[in-house]
Amino acid sequence: MTTSTPTTPFTDPVPAQRLEQAAAALTANGFAVEILDDAAAARTRVQDLIPEGASVFTGASETLRLSGIDEDINGSGRYASVKARSKTMDRAAQLAEIWRMIACPDVIVGSVAAVTETGSLVAASASGSQLAGYSGAAARAIWIVGAQKVVPDLSTALRRIEDHCLPLENERAMEAYGQSSALNRLLILNAEPHPGRGTVLLLREAIGF
């Protein structure tokens, strides 16, 4: 008799031991890592980490939206919001300048689709707008990551993106833009070579996709 292995739901927070294992591996790979209780704690910590007046770009992220971090950065006036400024620019005439602003802010803030217990961050994108900043163009990067995104390895991370994140992002994109999303670009960050540049705020709760 054959038995089938149930599909991992990818929605439940991992136990504390696995969260700590991922944090230790990320730290060994050069990332600064903090484990926080919840999104409210992350919201406060992000304000501590970003100097007032810094230019900041936020990648599209349900984690940032649901936590209030997106509004804190782009609507408070505390920072030089790249997203807010780009909305006032002519996309036809100033597209190259917009992309340079997006790629090279003082700080980029976002999330990722998965964190492996071996210490890698995995991000997926349709446009790639956040990926240049994530990979090194931004002076500093901050990622806020819910505990449900911790997975054992890269193959599980890719399955999480295809089976779980993409369908949910398709729904969000259809509602927001009237068109579906696509898995056009993948970025795997295996290490951070510049000490102090990349900070991962791992939450004990689930939030976002």
Side-chain angles (χ1 to χ4, degrees), residues 111-130:
S111 189
V112 291
V115 175
T116 72
E117 290 171 37
T118 53
S120 296
L121 303 176
V122 187
S125 178
S127 69
S129 60
Q130 76 276 44

Side-chain angles (χ1 to χ4, degrees), residues 18-35 112 114-122 143-146 149-151 154 188-196 198-203:
R18 291 183 60 195
L19 199 66
E20 288 161 11
Q21 182 175 332
L26 287 165
T27 301
N29 290 344
F31 298 96
V33 185
E34 300 176 29
I35 298 178
V112 291
V115 175
T116 72
E117 290 171 37
T118 53
S120 296
L121 303 176
V122 187
W143 298 279
I144 299 93
V145 187
K149 296 184 179 183
V150 174
V151 297
L154 283 174
I188 300 171
L189 299 172
N190 287 324
E192 175 49 67
H194 304 292
T199 299
V200 183
L201 303 180
L202 283 176
L203 308 187

Side-chain angles (χ1 to χ4, degrees), residues 141-162:
I142 301 169
W143 298 279
I144 299 93
V145 187
Q148 85 281 15
K149 296 184 179 183
V150 174
V151 297
D153 48 36
L154 283 174
S155 62
T156 313
L158 296 178
R159 185 158 59 85
R160 184 179 198 278
I161 290 168
E162 292 178 359

